[in-house]
């Protein structure tokens, strides 16, 4: 796993090439850092076809129990690594921007399109050619926690781009795009559970191996919550729609949320109520009709909004501005109950 030696905060580490260096010095600084920062030493050389545009490489990582997350903006370069049989990680990389990247993971070079998602095995040698650099995000998970054999890992490495696999869009990419939220370095243990769940669910699907519900639970719960956060204002959103979206039975969905403070249907209602309270508290709320607020929050009608507001605050809608302090306290509690 990466051992970032620069600015750090708990498990979170960052690296950037210092200012004031010449282009040659910048590349040498990056090359020296890069070659020593990763578990499997990488060798970097300048690409013969490097873009003339000045590129500023940088990296950020989060390391925790049995996992690491890495986001890297790589300089234009040729990179290679020797086989490292001691590597115990299973790695998935999401190449967000890779306009001219070529990877050689199985002996044969192949182009990688922007948005591609691939497994990478550094226990065998490989290389890349990135004349314009690339931007990638990577999950590394201790393989022993996933019970993935050498044969199974070989099968995963040989898979082509996984970007269109439904579980990648549902679980993997959201995990890779949302991990830099404030305070995540203080949540390393919980993050480890989610990432192992993400990887177990994906690997189980790709290898057609059953995955226990308990192993899927952290990843699925988080993915469903993110989906609800983005979709609560759809008046048609209900448990049946969520079950169809994630290809699960209603019973399975209720199981995944049985120990949550808010069950699935309650969470949808709470999200709508939170937004309604925020709108009702706005200074110009009087210019917005209750019907407009209800519709913009996903409530089927004004009466549904009134009942939800009464349930969560103990007040009628008309009392909101007369008891603003109490409403803000209730809103704060509602927001806390909706945290991922």
């Amino acid at each position: 796993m990466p051992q970032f030696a620069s600015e750090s905060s708990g498990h979170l580490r960052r690296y950037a090439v210092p200012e004031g260096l010449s282009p040659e010095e910048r590349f040498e600084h990056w090359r020296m850092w890069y070659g020593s920062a990763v578990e499997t030493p990488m060798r970097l050389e300048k690409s013969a076809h490097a873009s003339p545009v000045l590129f500023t490489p940088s990296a950020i990582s989060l390391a925790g129990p049995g996992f690491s997350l890495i986001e890297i903006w790589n300089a234009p370069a040729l990179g290679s690594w020797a086989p490292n049989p001691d590597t115990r990680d299973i790695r998935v990389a999401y190449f967000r921007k890779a306009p001219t990247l070529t990877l050689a993971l199985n002996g044969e070079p192949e182009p990688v399109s922007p948005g591609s998602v691939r497994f990478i095995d550094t226990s065998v040698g490989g290389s890349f050619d990135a004349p314009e650099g690339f931007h990638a995000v990577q999950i590394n998970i201790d393989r022993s926690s996933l019970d993935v054999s050498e044969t199974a890992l070989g099968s995963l490495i040989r898979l082509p781009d996984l970007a269109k696999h439904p579980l990648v869009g549902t679980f993997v990419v959201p995990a890779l795009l949302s991990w830099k939220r404030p305070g995540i370095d203080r949540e390393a243990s919980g993050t480890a559970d989610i990432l192992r769940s993400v990887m177990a669910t994906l690997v189980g699907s790709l290898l057609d191996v059953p995955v226990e519900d308990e192993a899927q639970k952290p990843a699925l719960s988080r993915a469903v919550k993110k989906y609800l956060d983005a979709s609560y204002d759809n008046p048609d959103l209900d448990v049946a729609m969520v079950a169809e979206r994630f290809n699960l039975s209603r019973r399975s969905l209720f199981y995944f949320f049985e120990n949550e403070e808010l069950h699935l249907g309650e969470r949808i209602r709470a999200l709508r109520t939170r937004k309604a309270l925020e709108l009702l508290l706005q200074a110009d709320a009087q210019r917005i009709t209750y019907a407009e607020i209800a519709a913009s929050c996903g409530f089927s009608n004004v009466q549904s909004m009134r009942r939800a507001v009464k349930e969560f605050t103990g007040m009628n809608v008309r009392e909101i501005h007369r008891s603003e302090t109490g409403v803000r306290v209730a809103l704060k509690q509602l927001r806390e109950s909706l945290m991922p």
Side-chain angles (χ1 to χ4, degrees), residues 54-321:
L54 179 63
F55 191 86
T56 304
S58 61
I60 179 173
S61 80
L62 176 71
F67 83 94
S68 66
L69 281 162
I70 306 161
E71 185 159 7
I72 190 165
W73 291 261
N74 211 325
L78 291 166
S80 62
W81 63 93
N84 181 2
D86 296 326
T87 297
R88 301 307 306 161
D89 283 346
I90 184 168
R91 306 161 189 259
V92 170
Y94 171 39
F95 296 95
R96 298 191 67 183
K97 295 181 181 178
T100 57
L101 177 65
T102 300
L103 276 180
L105 301 177
N106 301 295
E108 293 293 329
E110 55 183 303
V112 174
S113 303
S116 293
V117 177
R118 294 291 303 271
F119 281 93
I120 297 176
D121 181 13
T122 54
S123 68
V124 297
S127 65
F128 66 80
D129 183 358
E132 296 182 45
F134 64 83
H135 175 194
V137 195
Q138 181 175 311
I139 299 175
N140 304 326
I141 297 288
D142 186 339
R143 198 187 314 166
S144 62
S145 67
L146 299 177
D147 193 26
V148 176
S149 67
E150 296 291 338
T151 301
L153 180 59
S155 299
L156 296 173
I157 300 305
R158 288 189 292 272
L159 292 172
D161 179 20
L162 298 169
K164 293 184 179 179
H165 189 286
L167 289 183
V168 169
T170 301
F171 295 112
V172 179
V173 172
L176 288 170
L177 295 182
S178 64
W179 68 271
K180 290 183 294 182
R181 63 186 182 279
I184 193 170
D185 52 321
R186 298 187 295 273
E187 305 170 11
S189 179
T191 301
D193 291 340
I194 291 171
L195 292 178
R196 275 194 293 271
S197 178
V198 166
M199 293 290 272
T201 302
L202 176 62
V203 169
S205 172
L206 293 171
L207 298 177
D208 198 21
V209 175
V211 181
E212 294 181 0
D213 284 349
E214 201 61 34
Q216 298 183 68
K217 195 169 188 178
L220 184 70
S221 296
R222 185 169 184 81
V224 170
K225 288 175 183 178
K226 289 181 69 65
Y227 174 68
L228 298 184
D229 288 346
S231 309
Y232 68 85
D233 57 350
N234 179 353
D236 295 326
L237 181 68
D238 57 13
V239 176
M241 180 181 287
V242 177
E244 182 178 357
R245 169 68 173 77
F246 289 89
N247 194 28
L248 292 166
S249 67
R250 292 169 63 98
R251 177 176 293 182
S252 294
L253 268 178
F254 285 125
Y255 163 74
F256 286 123
F257 278 81
E258 65 180 355
N259 294 323
E260 297 280 346
E261 180 179 351
L262 295 172
H263 291 176
L264 192 59
E266 294 171 334
R267 189 174 187 88
I268 295 171
R269 200 156 179 253
L271 285 164
R272 290 169 174 165
T273 306
R274 180 193 64 186
K275 182 63 177 178
L277 290 174
E278 290 170 350
L279 291 174
L280 288 165
L281 284 172
Q282 288 178 3
D284 61 347
Q286 301 301 327
R287 302 177 189 175
I288 309 173
T289 68
Y290 290 157
E292 290 171 331
I293 292 176
S296 67
C297 298
F299 288 105
S300 57
N301 53 53
V302 173
Q303 293 307 315
S304 295
M305 181 183 74
R306 289 179 184 275
R307 287 193 294 270
V309 168
K310 179 72 172 180
E311 176 185 332
F312 284 99
T313 68
M315 305 175 201
N316 294 320
V317 169
R318 295 181 181 278
E319 297 176 312
I320 295 298
H321 282 285

